[in-house]
Amino acid sequence: QSLYRQLGAYYVLKNNPDSVFYYMDLSSRVADSLSNASNMEILHETEARFETEKKDLLIQNQSLELSAKDKVNEAQSRLLWIGGLGLLIVCVLAVIAFVNYRKSQRAKREIEHQKVLGEVKQKEIIDSIDYAKRIQSAILPSAKLIKSHLPDSFVLYKPKDIVAGDFYWLEPIVSANGTTILFAACDCTGHGVPGALVSVICHNGLNRAVREFGLREPGRILDKTREIVISEFEKSEEDVKDGMDVAMCALNGNSLTYAGANNPLWIIRKGATEVEDYKATKQPIGKYHDPIPYVTHNITVQSGDTIYIFSDGYVDQFGGEHGKKFKASSLKTLLLSIQTESMDRQRQILSESFESWRSRAEQTDDVCVVGVRV
């Protein structure tokens, strides 16, 4: 293009218009051709760049599609894995639940079986204790025997359980001096079956002291009973410290003798406003570290006087508004307040008062109260 322009300029100087026109036309064509070539090159470059970008975009789209598919596949795999794990957990829990159900059913059947066995055993035990009660009742003096020798009297007897450690005892002794009525309220160690077993030994000791050894004085009877009880317990290889508290009286007309092992004698004279309290010897019928003979009290009573002996079950009963013991002072007050009542009515009042005081509380111990009006 530059050469054609120079040639055109040269022919201008030569004043040759035809040549000038010719070479200027060539220069213009070359410029057009160059321009077209440049445009085509740009076009080709643009097309090439477009194709490249198109390919890149396609590759990128394919990559994104692959990435999206991978993510979808990964999500699907994760969901499948979680679903499988969840199903596995459900299956494991179902197996555990089934095993536990089978175990619970077996345990339930075993419990029901044991319950039936327990009920059978309980019935057997209760039947045995009921039979023991019949035996224990058989050794107690009957109401008919008591009324025949102590017509104006009562016995309030409330075992804590079916059988009791408390018992009452009566033995009439006929002699040249008339009939002496020996009677006692006895409280053996414990209550229920253990107390009942001790009561059999102590009851036997009292009977032997009177019937076998011929003793009549309450103090000497208690001394001999202690010897018999200790002798019986010494047969055991174990050190048995069980025994009995007792209040014993011997009544012959207006003559009353009394001896006690921890349990006192109360007398309310006819028309009196206070209780005469005769103290017991402070030692039980049984092993004791420094035993002494039991003291016998000789007392004169008159017609209308009332004698009371008892175990500690009544006064030691918890109850009332504050859950405290009934106490001896309250029993004295109660007995003084019912002196105008008959002995049967006194027994009823004492029983009702005891239950009212106890209310919903559990009975603390066996109860035995003996009342005799001279």
Side-chain angles (χ1 to χ4, degrees):
Q1 183 182 9
S2 177
L3 178 60
Y4 287 153
R5 285 180 180 176
Q6 291 177 5
L7 287 173
Y10 172 76
Y11 284 111
V12 169
L13 294 176
K14 289 296 185 177
N15 197 17
N16 185 353
D18 292 331
S19 295
V20 171
F21 177 77
Y22 174 74
Y23 284 110
M24 291 301 291
D25 182 56
L26 286 176
S27 176
S28 176
R29 290 181 181 181
V30 170
D32 289 339
S33 187
L34 286 174
S35 176
N36 289 334
S38 177
N39 288 337
M40 289 301 294
E41 184 179 357
I42 290 171
L43 179 61
H44 288 314
E45 288 179 358
T46 301
E47 287 179 351
R49 188 165 59 251
F50 175 76
E51 290 297 330
T52 300
E53 290 180 356
K54 182 179 179 181
K55 289 180 180 179
D56 290 341
L57 183 61
L58 181 61
I59 292 171
Q60 186 177 0
N61 287 339
Q62 290 176 346
S63 177
L64 288 174
E65 288 178 359
L66 290 174
S67 178
K69 287 182 179 179
D70 289 340
K71 288 182 179 180
V72 170
N73 291 333
E74 183 181 354
Q76 289 176 344
S77 298
R78 189 176 299 169
L79 286 173
L80 288 173
W81 185 83
I82 293 173
L85 180 61
L87 182 61
L88 178 62
I89 292 173
V90 170
C91 291
V92 170
L93 291 176
V95 171
I96 293 173
F98 179 73
V99 171
N100 289 337
Y101 173 75
R102 292 292 298 273
K103 287 182 178 179
S104 67
Q105 290 299 308
R106 285 196 298 269
K108 184 179 179 181
R109 288 194 295 271
E110 182 64 22
I111 290 170
E112 290 175 352
H113 178 64
Q114 293 298 327
K115 181 181 178 182
V116 171
L117 290 179
E119 289 174 350
V120 171
K121 289 293 184 183
Q122 184 179 20
K123 187 178 185 302
E124 290 176 355
I125 292 170
I126 292 175
D127 288 345
S128 298
I129 296 174
D130 284 336
Y131 190 76
K133 180 182 179 181
R134 291 173 58 189
I135 296 172
Q136 188 176 46
S137 298
I139 68 174
L140 296 175
S142 66
K144 182 179 179 181
L145 178 65
I146 294 172
K147 286 296 184 181
S148 65
H149 294 287
L150 299 171
D152 203 7
S153 65
F154 73 80
V155 175
L156 176 63
Y157 188 55
K158 287 181 175 287
K160 180 182 185 296
D161 301 306
I162 298 174
V163 289
D166 283 14
F167 68 94
Y168 49 96
W169 177 85
L170 183 142
E171 185 74 13
I173 305 296
V174 180
S175 65
N177 296 325
T179 301
T180 299
I181 310 300
L182 293 168
F183 60 96
C186 309
D187 181 5
C188 295
T189 306
H191 49 77
V193 174
L197 292 173
V198 177
S199 74
V200 172
I201 295 174
C202 293
H203 185 276
N204 179 62
L206 291 173
N207 286 341
R208 289 187 60 194
V210 175
R211 298 173 185 176
E212 182 179 339
F213 294 95
L215 300 175
R216 301 293 179 263
E217 183 184 327
R220 303 295 71 76
I221 294 172
L222 296 188
D223 288 337
K224 179 55 69 174
T225 302
R226 177 172 60 188
E227 291 178 17
I228 295 170
V229 170
I230 292 174
S231 175
E232 290 294 326
F233 285 145
E234 283 179 345
K235 295 176 183 178
S236 172
E237 295 181 356
E238 298 182 4
D239 185 19
V240 181
K241 296 181 180 179
D242 294 309
M244 172 177 67
D245 294 340
V246 56
M248 174 174 286
C249 295
L251 180 64
N252 187 341
N254 293 333
S255 176
L256 175 69
T257 53
Y258 152 77
N262 289 326
N263 287 354
L265 162 70
W266 289 355
I267 297 177
I268 299 178
R269 303 290 182 174
K270 184 177 181 180
T273 58
E274 58 183 29
V275 177
E276 291 183 14
D277 190 345
Y278 292 87
K279 303 297 183 182
T281 304
K282 293 299 181 181
Q283 61 184 19
I285 302 293
K287 281 190 175 181
Y288 194 67
H289 64 280
D290 189 17
I292 60 173
Y294 290 96
V295 176
T296 298
H297 300 265
N298 295 293
I299 307 161
T300 300
V301 291
Q302 302 296 329
S303 177
D305 294 347
T306 310
I307 302 163
Y308 297 99
I309 53 176
F310 46 88
S311 66
D312 60 2
Y314 199 107
V315 297
D316 285 347
Q317 177 61 45
F318 290 97
E321 294 182 1
H322 305 290
K324 296 183 177 180
K325 288 185 178 182
F326 191 81
K327 294 185 179 179
S329 58
S330 298
L331 181 56
K332 285 180 179 179
T333 301
L334 177 58
L335 292 174
L336 285 169
S337 70
I338 60 175
Q339 283 307 293
T340 58
E341 304 290 344
S342 67
M343 298 307 285
D344 289 338
R345 177 59 182 156
Q346 285 191 27
R347 180 192 178 282
Q348 182 181 357
I349 293 172
L350 286 171
S351 179
E352 291 172 353
S353 298
F354 179 83
E355 295 301 330
S356 176
W357 175 263
R358 183 175 71 87
S359 186
R360 296 182 180 179
E362 182 182 1
Q363 185 171 330
T364 306
D365 199 355
D366 301 323
V367 172
C368 181
V369 180
V370 178
V372 178
R373 180 165 287 162
V374 181

